[in-house]
């Protein structure tokens, strides 16, 4: 069975779109099939998979893993966390690539995929290749295995390596995103006084839109800074 991506989901650096309109489980499976096929043809066979806290991420993760394993790649699930944690896992675990399911700073109805292929960025023409492979059904077959790895504590320890800063008073607003649990662990190791906002992961983003470049989304953090 072939599958053609909605062109609006293909970007230069990642794949993203509104879930249920431009992106869904069939897209995730196709991405997994294509990525695993390319990786195996390049001599790799093991992929780390992470996800953010959006409501659609578990569904897309399951479908992506189905695609990866159906084309013969083993999968190491690293669980929910920020995208840099997936990059850390891809760099330190015995894997040949990594995929993060994340909508980044987009509204909650969006989601997407960021990829690393044999320790290099996977973007531009690489992503267009996935689309062409999906349209042609150009996928290898196989049976991969799935395992889990808990990397969050090691990732937090890595963030502390070489830190020689002073004891500051800091306000943190994680906006109900996947970085919340990481920041909660991080501030326990950092000196100084730390005040946290919205660290509970909630894919509905009940407190404000997740894009921190929009001034209106900084209102709670600005109020915290003024108060503390």
């Amino acid at each position: 069975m072939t599958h053609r991506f909605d062109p609006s989901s293909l970007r230069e650096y990642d794949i993203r779109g509104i879930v249920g309109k431009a992106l869904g489980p069939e897209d995730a499976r196709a991405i997994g099939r294509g990525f695993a096929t390319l990786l195996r043809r390049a001599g790799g066979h093991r992929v780390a998979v992470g996800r953010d806290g959006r409501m659609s991420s578990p569904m897309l993760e399951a479908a992506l893993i189905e695609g990866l394993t159906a084309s013969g790649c083993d999968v190491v699930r690293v669980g929910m966390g920020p995208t840099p944690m997936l990059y850390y896992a891809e760099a330190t675990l015995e894997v040949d690539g990594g995929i993060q399911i994340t909508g980044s700073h987009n509204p909650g109805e969006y989601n997407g995929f960021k990829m690393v292929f044999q320790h290099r960025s996977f973007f531009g023409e690489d992503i267009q290749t996935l689309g062409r492979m999906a349209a042609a059904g150009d996928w290898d077959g196989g049976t991969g295995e799935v395992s889990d790895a808990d990397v969050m504590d090691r990732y937090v320890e890595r963030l502390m390596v070489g830190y020689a800063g002073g004891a500051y008073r800091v306000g943190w607003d994680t906006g109900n995103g996947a970085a919340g649990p990481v920041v909660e662990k991080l501030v326990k190791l950092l000196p100084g006084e730390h005040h946290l906002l919205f660290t509970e992961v909630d894919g509905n983003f009940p407190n404000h839109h997740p894009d921190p470049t929009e001034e209106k989304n900084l209102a709670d953090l600005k109020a915290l800074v003024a108060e503390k």
Side-chain angles (χ1 to χ4, degrees):
M1 178 181 177
T2 61
H3 182 90
R4 186 176 300 277
F5 291 108
D6 182 323
S8 67
S9 70
L10 297 175
R11 307 288 180 174
E12 182 178 0
Y13 294 105
D14 59 9
I15 300 171
R16 64 180 183 267
I18 297 176
V19 176
K21 293 184 178 180
L23 201 63
E26 286 303 312
D27 299 288
R29 289 188 192 93
I31 291 164
R33 294 296 303 267
F35 190 88
T37 297
L38 289 175
L39 195 62
R40 289 186 63 198
R41 291 175 183 175
H45 68 95
R46 205 159 183 249
V47 182
V49 172
R51 61 178 174 85
D52 69 12
R54 290 166 188 262
M55 307 303 289
S56 59
S57 290
M59 170 187 69
L60 295 178
E61 178 191 45
L64 174 70
I65 290 172
E66 286 178 11
L68 289 167
T69 55
S71 284
C73 273
D74 295 333
V75 172
V76 181
R77 292 182 299 206
V78 300
M80 183 178 67
T83 301
M85 191 177 86
L86 181 277
Y87 295 156
Y88 168 80
E90 194 275 339
T92 60
L93 299 178
E94 293 182 357
V95 297
D96 307 296
I99 303 177
Q100 174 79 357
I101 299 158
T102 178
S104 189
H105 62 281
N106 291 292
E109 64 269 25
Y110 281 78
N111 216 324
F113 304 84
K114 295 181 183 292
M115 293 162 280
V116 185
F117 189 95
Q118 294 185 322
H119 310 307
R120 70 167 178 84
S121 298
F122 188 92
F123 67 101
E125 182 59 26
D126 297 319
I127 293 176
Q128 297 300 321
T129 296
L130 289 183
R132 290 192 292 269
M133 292 174 70
D138 179 19
W139 298 323
D140 292 346
T143 303
E145 298 182 353
V146 181
S147 61
D148 296 285
D150 186 352
V151 302
M152 185 177 292
D153 287 341
R154 281 179 283 162
Y155 173 59
V156 172
E157 290 173 2
R158 177 64 184 86
L159 294 177
M160 291 296 298
V161 171
Y163 179 76
Y168 301 106
R169 184 183 299 167
V170 184
W172 305 75
D173 179 0
T174 62
N176 300 112
V182 168
V183 171
E184 288 179 336
K185 289 176 177 287
L186 181 64
V187 298
K188 292 178 180 178
L189 303 177
L190 288 170
E193 181 180 327
H194 299 272
H195 301 273
L196 277 58
L197 292 175
F198 316 135
T199 57
E200 180 181 359
V201 180
D202 187 335
N204 292 311
F205 303 108
N207 291 288
H208 59 71
H209 185 286
D211 186 354
T213 67
E214 293 285 343
E215 187 76 13
K216 63 184 179 181
N217 299 327
L218 302 178
D220 295 297
L221 183 60
K222 288 164 70 174
L224 175 64
V225 171
E227 179 185 354
K228 300 293 185 179

